[in-house]
mmCIF file of all heavy atoms in Angstrom:
data_model
loop_
_atom_site.group_PDB
_atom_site.id
_atom_site.type_symbol
_atom_site.label_atom_id
_atom_site.label_comp_id
_atom_site.label_asym_id
_atom_site.label_seq_id
_atom_site.Cartn_x
_atom_site.Cartn_y
_atom_site.Cartn_z
ATOM 1 N N ASP A 1 -9.711 -12.968 4.196
ATOM 2 C CA ASP A 1 -8.483 -12.925 4.992
ATOM 3 C C ASP A 1 -8.117 -14.318 5.495
ATOM 4 O O ASP A 1 -6.945 -14.693 5.517
ATOM 5 C CB ASP A 1 -8.665 -11.962 6.179
ATOM 6 C CG ASP A 1 -7.333 -11.484 6.723
ATOM 7 O OD1 ASP A 1 -6.482 -11.062 5.916
ATOM 8 O OD2 ASP A 1 -7.141 -11.545 7.947
ATOM 9 N N SER A 2 -9.121 -15.084 5.886
ATOM 10 C CA SER A 2 -8.855 -16.428 6.381
ATOM 11 C C SER A 2 -8.228 -17.304 5.301
ATOM 12 O O SER A 2 -7.226 -17.989 5.536
ATOM 13 C CB SER A 2 -10.164 -17.059 6.878
ATOM 14 O OG SER A 2 -9.951 -18.387 7.284
ATOM 15 N N ILE A 3 -8.808 -17.258 4.102
ATOM 16 C CA ILE A 3 -8.289 -18.072 2.994
ATOM 17 C C ILE A 3 -6.938 -17.539 2.537
ATOM 18 O O ILE A 3 -5.990 -18.300 2.298
ATOM 19 C CB ILE A 3 -9.297 -18.082 1.838
ATOM 20 C CG1 ILE A 3 -10.516 -18.919 2.216
ATOM 21 C CG2 ILE A 3 -8.663 -18.638 0.564
ATOM 22 C CD1 ILE A 3 -11.590 -18.956 1.164
ATOM 23 N N GLY A 4 -6.824 -16.217 2.413
ATOM 24 C CA GLY A 4 -5.579 -15.613 1.962
ATOM 25 C C GLY A 4 -4.428 -15.868 2.911
ATOM 26 O O GLY A 4 -3.311 -16.216 2.489
ATOM 27 N N ASP A 5 -4.672 -15.714 4.218
ATOM 28 C CA ASP A 5 -3.621 -15.932 5.212
ATOM 29 C C ASP A 5 -3.089 -17.357 5.153
ATOM 30 O O ASP A 5 -1.872 -17.590 5.203
ATOM 31 C CB ASP A 5 -4.151 -15.648 6.622
ATOM 32 C CG ASP A 5 -4.316 -14.164 6.903
ATOM 33 O OD1 ASP A 5 -3.762 -13.356 6.139
ATOM 34 O OD2 ASP A 5 -5.005 -13.818 7.886
ATOM 35 N N ALA A 6 -4.006 -18.315 5.063
ATOM 36 C CA ALA A 6 -3.600 -19.724 5.028
ATOM 37 C C ALA A 6 -2.762 -20.028 3.788
ATOM 38 O O ALA A 6 -1.732 -20.707 3.860
ATOM 39 C CB ALA A 6 -4.831 -20.625 5.076
ATOM 40 N N SER A 7 -3.202 -19.512 2.653
ATOM 41 C CA SER A 7 -2.467 -19.740 1.408
ATOM 42 C C SER A 7 -1.111 -19.056 1.445
ATOM 43 O O SER A 7 -0.094 -19.628 1.029
ATOM 44 C CB SER A 7 -3.284 -19.230 0.222
ATOM 45 O OG SER A 7 -2.561 -19.367 -0.984
ATOM 46 N N PHE A 8 -1.057 -17.840 1.967
ATOM 47 C CA PHE A 8 0.194 -17.088 2.035
ATOM 48 C C PHE A 8 1.204 -17.789 2.942
ATOM 49 O O PHE A 8 2.381 -17.939 2.591
ATOM 50 C CB PHE A 8 -0.078 -15.679 2.551
ATOM 51 C CG PHE A 8 1.157 -14.831 2.718
ATOM 52 C CD1 PHE A 8 1.872 -14.404 1.617
ATOM 53 C CD2 PHE A 8 1.609 -14.480 3.983
ATOM 54 C CE1 PHE A 8 3.018 -13.638 1.764
ATOM 55 C CE2 PHE A 8 2.742 -13.712 4.152
ATOM 56 C CZ PHE A 8 3.458 -13.280 3.035
ATOM 57 N N ALA A 9 0.749 -18.261 4.080
ATOM 58 C CA ALA A 9 1.640 -18.958 5.008
ATOM 59 C C ALA A 9 2.197 -20.226 4.371
ATOM 60 O O ALA A 9 3.378 -20.551 4.531
ATOM 61 C CB ALA A 9 0.900 -19.286 6.295
ATOM 62 N N ALA A 10 1.347 -20.944 3.642
ATOM 63 C CA ALA A 10 1.806 -22.167 2.972
ATOM 64 C C ALA A 10 2.826 -21.841 1.888
ATOM 65 O O ALA A 10 3.833 -22.552 1.727
ATOM 66 C CB ALA A 10 0.620 -22.911 2.373
ATOM 67 N N ASN A 11 2.586 -20.757 1.156
ATOM 68 C CA ASN A 11 3.505 -20.366 0.089
ATOM 69 C C ASN A 11 4.859 -19.911 0.634
ATOM 70 O O ASN A 11 5.884 -20.047 -0.044
ATOM 71 C CB ASN A 11 2.894 -19.237 -0.745
ATOM 72 C CG ASN A 11 1.659 -19.672 -1.506
ATOM 73 O OD1 ASN A 11 1.476 -20.856 -1.775
ATOM 74 N ND2 ASN A 11 0.789 -18.724 -1.834
ATOM 75 N N MET A 12 4.867 -19.365 1.853
ATOM 76 C CA MET A 12 6.101 -18.867 2.466
ATOM 77 C C MET A 12 6.799 -19.918 3.324
ATOM 78 O O MET A 12 7.852 -19.640 3.920
ATOM 79 C CB MET A 12 5.791 -17.633 3.321
ATOM 80 C CG MET A 12 5.408 -16.399 2.532
ATOM 81 S SD MET A 12 6.732 -15.833 1.427
ATOM 82 C CE MET A 12 7.945 -15.245 2.624
ATOM 83 N N ASN A 13 6.234 -21.096 3.412
ATOM 84 C CA ASN A 13 6.816 -22.151 4.244
ATOM 85 C C ASN A 13 8.228 -22.483 3.766
ATOM 86 O O ASN A 13 8.459 -22.744 2.588
ATOM 87 C CB ASN A 13 5.935 -23.404 4.186
ATOM 88 C CG ASN A 13 6.423 -24.479 5.128
ATOM 89 O OD1 ASN A 13 6.878 -24.192 6.232
ATOM 90 N ND2 ASN A 13 6.325 -25.728 4.689
ATOM 91 N N GLY A 14 9.191 -22.473 4.705
ATOM 92 C CA GLY A 14 10.575 -22.770 4.364
ATOM 93 C C GLY A 14 11.420 -21.558 4.080
ATOM 94 O O GLY A 14 12.650 -21.651 3.979
ATOM 95 N N ALA A 15 10.785 -20.399 3.909
ATOM 96 C CA ALA A 15 11.544 -19.170 3.678
ATOM 97 C C ALA A 15 12.199 -18.719 4.979
ATOM 98 O O ALA A 15 11.613 -18.807 6.052
ATOM 99 C CB ALA A 15 10.615 -18.075 3.159
ATOM 100 N N ASN A 16 13.440 -18.221 4.882
ATOM 101 C CA ASN A 16 14.185 -17.802 6.068
ATOM 102 C C ASN A 16 13.805 -16.378 6.460
ATOM 103 O O ASN A 16 14.642 -15.463 6.481
ATOM 104 C CB ASN A 16 15.691 -17.908 5.796
ATOM 105 C CG ASN A 16 16.514 -17.710 7.057
ATOM 106 O OD1 ASN A 16 16.020 -17.948 8.168
ATOM 107 N ND2 ASN A 16 17.752 -17.269 6.892
ATOM 108 N N VAL A 17 12.518 -16.178 6.744
ATOM 109 C CA VAL A 17 11.995 -14.867 7.125
ATOM 110 C C VAL A 17 10.991 -15.057 8.249
ATOM 111 O O VAL A 17 10.518 -16.168 8.489
ATOM 112 C CB VAL A 17 11.313 -14.147 5.942
ATOM 113 C CG1 VAL A 17 12.281 -13.929 4.789
ATOM 114 C CG2 VAL A 17 10.082 -14.928 5.483
ATOM 115 N N THR A 18 10.676 -13.967 8.918
ATOM 116 C CA THR A 18 9.626 -13.961 9.932
ATOM 117 C C THR A 18 8.457 -13.128 9.420
ATOM 118 O O THR A 18 8.622 -11.931 9.142
ATOM 119 C CB THR A 18 10.129 -13.364 11.262
ATOM 120 O OG1 THR A 18 11.244 -14.137 11.722
ATOM 121 C CG2 THR A 18 9.026 -13.375 12.303
ATOM 122 N N ILE A 19 7.280 -13.762 9.219
ATOM 123 C CA ILE A 19 6.112 -13.034 8.724
ATOM 124 C C ILE A 19 5.563 -12.142 9.828
ATOM 125 O O ILE A 19 5.318 -12.603 10.946
ATOM 126 C CB ILE A 19 5.021 -14.020 8.247
ATOM 127 C CG1 ILE A 19 5.535 -14.852 7.067
ATOM 128 C CG2 ILE A 19 3.747 -13.264 7.852
ATOM 129 C CD1 ILE A 19 4.572 -15.935 6.622
ATOM 130 N N VAL A 20 5.399 -10.877 9.512
ATOM 131 C CA VAL A 20 4.838 -9.917 10.465
ATOM 132 C C VAL A 20 3.322 -9.917 10.372
ATOM 133 O O VAL A 20 2.614 -10.023 11.363
ATOM 134 C CB VAL A 20 5.404 -8.507 10.233
ATOM 135 C CG1 VAL A 20 4.764 -7.494 11.201
ATOM 136 C CG2 VAL A 20 6.912 -8.503 10.383
ATOM 137 N N HIS A 21 2.805 -9.804 9.148
ATOM 138 C CA HIS A 21 1.350 -9.835 8.947
ATOM 139 C C HIS A 21 1.040 -10.027 7.470
ATOM 140 O O HIS A 21 1.889 -9.788 6.597
ATOM 141 C CB HIS A 21 0.681 -8.545 9.446
ATOM 142 C CG HIS A 21 0.921 -7.364 8.554
ATOM 143 N ND1 HIS A 21 0.203 -7.122 7.407
ATOM 144 C CD2 HIS A 21 1.826 -6.351 8.636
ATOM 145 C CE1 HIS A 21 0.629 -6.027 6.818
ATOM 146 N NE2 HIS A 21 1.617 -5.533 7.547
ATOM 147 N N SER A 22 -0.175 -10.468 7.187
ATOM 148 C CA SER A 22 -0.723 -10.469 5.825
ATOM 149 C C SER A 22 -2.192 -10.114 5.941
ATOM 150 O O SER A 22 -2.864 -10.528 6.890
ATOM 151 C CB SER A 22 -0.540 -11.837 5.149
ATOM 152 O OG SER A 22 -1.195 -12.858 5.878
ATOM 153 N N THR A 23 -2.688 -9.333 5.000
ATOM 154 C CA THR A 23 -4.063 -8.839 5.052
ATOM 155 C C THR A 23 -4.703 -8.962 3.679
ATOM 156 O O THR A 23 -4.086 -8.596 2.662
ATOM 157 C CB THR A 23 -4.109 -7.370 5.504
ATOM 158 O OG1 THR A 23 -3.465 -7.247 6.769
ATOM 159 C CG2 THR A 23 -5.551 -6.893 5.622
ATOM 160 N N PHE A 24 -5.943 -9.463 3.659
ATOM 161 C CA PHE A 24 -6.706 -9.594 2.411
ATOM 162 C C PHE A 24 -8.093 -9.001 2.643
ATOM 163 O O PHE A 24 -8.749 -9.330 3.636
ATOM 164 C CB PHE A 24 -6.824 -11.065 2.014
ATOM 165 C CG PHE A 24 -5.500 -11.735 1.771
ATOM 166 C CD1 PHE A 24 -4.733 -12.195 2.841
ATOM 167 C CD2 PHE A 24 -5.020 -11.893 0.492
ATOM 168 C CE1 PHE A 24 -3.507 -12.816 2.632
ATOM 169 C CE2 PHE A 24 -3.791 -12.513 0.276
ATOM 170 C CZ PHE A 24 -3.033 -12.967 1.347
ATOM 171 N N ARG A 25 -8.541 -8.151 1.734
ATOM 172 C CA ARG A 25 -9.846 -7.524 1.889
ATOM 173 C C ARG A 25 -10.483 -7.302 0.521
ATOM 174 O O ARG A 25 -9.804 -7.321 -0.523
ATOM 175 C CB ARG A 25 -9.731 -6.188 2.626
ATOM 176 C CG ARG A 25 -8.887 -5.148 1.911
ATOM 177 C CD ARG A 25 -8.758 -3.856 2.707
ATOM 178 N NE ARG A 25 -7.885 -2.900 2.040
ATOM 179 C CZ ARG A 25 -8.283 -2.075 1.065
ATOM 180 N NH1 ARG A 25 -9.557 -2.124 0.655
ATOM 181 N NH2 ARG A 25 -7.445 -1.229 0.500
ATOM 182 N N ALA A 26 -11.801 -7.106 0.549
ATOM 183 C CA ALA A 26 -12.548 -6.882 -0.694
ATOM 184 C C ALA A 26 -12.742 -5.395 -0.943
ATOM 185 O O ALA A 26 -12.935 -4.604 -0.015
ATOM 186 C CB ALA A 26 -13.914 -7.557 -0.603
ATOM 187 N N GLU A 27 -12.660 -5.045 -2.208
ATOM 188 C CA GLU A 27 -12.958 -3.674 -2.629
ATOM 189 C C GLU A 27 -13.644 -3.760 -3.989
ATOM 190 O O GLU A 27 -12.994 -3.825 -5.024
ATOM 191 C CB GLU A 27 -11.682 -2.846 -2.715
ATOM 192 C CG GLU A 27 -11.920 -1.352 -2.964
ATOM 193 C CD GLU A 27 -10.641 -0.555 -2.940
ATOM 194 O OE1 GLU A 27 -10.076 -0.379 -1.842
ATOM 195 O OE2 GLU A 27 -10.190 -0.109 -4.028
ATOM 196 N N GLY A 28 -14.976 -3.785 -3.953
ATOM 197 C CA GLY A 28 -15.725 -4.036 -5.181
ATOM 198 C C GLY A 28 -15.433 -5.440 -5.672
ATOM 199 O O GLY A 28 -15.536 -6.409 -4.927
ATOM 200 N N ASN A 29 -15.033 -5.565 -6.930
ATOM 201 C CA ASN A 29 -14.680 -6.867 -7.491
ATOM 202 C C ASN A 29 -13.204 -7.193 -7.305
ATOM 203 O O ASN A 29 -12.706 -8.161 -7.881
ATOM 204 C CB ASN A 29 -15.011 -6.905 -8.982
ATOM 205 C CG ASN A 29 -16.473 -7.207 -9.224
ATOM 206 O OD1 ASN A 29 -17.216 -7.479 -8.297
ATOM 207 N ND2 ASN A 29 -16.893 -7.136 -10.475
ATOM 208 N N LYS A 30 -12.494 -6.388 -6.532
ATOM 209 C CA LYS A 30 -11.067 -6.600 -6.324
ATOM 210 C C LYS A 30 -10.788 -7.210 -4.966
ATOM 211 O O LYS A 30 -11.509 -6.988 -3.998
ATOM 212 C CB LYS A 30 -10.304 -5.275 -6.448
ATOM 213 C CG LYS A 30 -10.327 -4.664 -7.842
ATOM 214 C CD LYS A 30 -9.510 -3.382 -7.875
ATOM 215 C CE LYS A 30 -9.498 -2.777 -9.274
ATOM 216 N NZ LYS A 30 -8.722 -1.516 -9.311
ATOM 217 N N VAL A 31 -9.705 -7.971 -4.898
ATOM 218 C CA VAL A 31 -9.151 -8.433 -3.630
ATOM 219 C C VAL A 31 -7.827 -7.699 -3.443
ATOM 220 O O VAL A 31 -6.910 -7.831 -4.271
ATOM 221 C CB VAL A 31 -8.935 -9.960 -3.618
ATOM 222 C CG1 VAL A 31 -8.203 -10.384 -2.345
ATOM 223 C CG2 VAL A 31 -10.264 -10.684 -3.725
ATOM 224 N N ILE A 32 -7.751 -6.900 -2.391
ATOM 225 C CA ILE A 32 -6.562 -6.106 -2.091
ATOM 226 C C ILE A 32 -5.768 -6.834 -1.012
ATOM 227 O O ILE A 32 -6.324 -7.195 0.026
ATOM 228 C CB ILE A 32 -6.925 -4.700 -1.591
ATOM 229 C CG1 ILE A 32 -7.930 -4.031 -2.550
ATOM 230 C CG2 ILE A 32 -5.686 -3.846 -1.422
ATOM 231 C CD1 ILE A 32 -7.412 -3.805 -3.941
ATOM 232 N N ALA A 33 -4.467 -7.048 -1.248
ATOM 233 C CA ALA A 33 -3.649 -7.802 -0.298
ATOM 234 C C ALA A 33 -2.339 -7.078 -0.015
ATOM 235 O O ALA A 33 -1.769 -6.400 -0.887
ATOM 236 C CB ALA A 33 -3.349 -9.194 -0.842
ATOM 237 N N SER A 34 -1.859 -7.219 1.194
ATOM 238 C CA SER A 34 -0.551 -6.670 1.578
ATOM 239 C C SER A 34 0.076 -7.605 2.599
ATOM 240 O O SER A 34 -0.622 -8.343 3.313
ATOM 241 C CB SER A 34 -0.687 -5.266 2.159
ATOM 242 O OG SER A 34 -1.472 -5.285 3.346
ATOM 243 N N ALA A 35 1.404 -7.584 2.676
ATOM 244 C CA ALA A 35 2.114 -8.437 3.621
ATOM 245 C C ALA A 35 3.435 -7.786 4.008
ATOM 246 O O ALA A 35 3.983 -6.954 3.264
ATOM 247 C CB ALA A 35 2.361 -9.819 3.030
ATOM 248 N N GLN A 36 3.947 -8.165 5.167
ATOM 249 C CA GLN A 36 5.215 -7.643 5.659
ATOM 250 C C GLN A 36 5.959 -8.774 6.369
ATOM 251 O O GLN A 36 5.346 -9.619 7.034
ATOM 252 C CB GLN A 36 4.972 -6.477 6.623
ATOM 253 C CG GLN A 36 6.202 -5.635 6.910
ATOM 254 C CD GLN A 36 5.859 -4.428 7.765
ATOM 255 O OE1 GLN A 36 5.628 -4.552 8.953
ATOM 256 N NE2 GLN A 36 5.811 -3.260 7.138
ATOM 257 N N ALA A 37 7.275 -8.785 6.213
ATOM 258 C CA ALA A 37 8.104 -9.802 6.862
ATOM 259 C C ALA A 37 9.449 -9.195 7.239
ATOM 260 O O ALA A 37 9.810 -8.098 6.797
ATOM 261 C CB ALA A 37 8.288 -11.000 5.940
ATOM 262 N N LYS A 38 10.203 -9.905 8.073
ATOM 263 C CA LYS A 38 11.528 -9.452 8.504
ATOM 264 C C LYS A 38 12.575 -10.498 8.143
ATOM 265 O O LYS A 38 12.345 -11.701 8.277
ATOM 266 C CB LYS A 38 11.539 -9.205 10.002
ATOM 267 C CG LYS A 38 10.749 -7.971 10.423
ATOM 268 C CD LYS A 38 10.899 -7.694 11.917
ATOM 269 C CE LYS A 38 10.160 -6.392 12.289
ATOM 270 N NZ LYS A 38 10.321 -6.074 13.728
#
């Protein structure tokens, strides 16, 4: 989550939106991610 959040925020820099949240978690060999913005 720490790495994902930082990368996501950098990727969204300059976008005319307000980030509500982003979440990254492990599930076996998968990384599951979700995000919401306004």
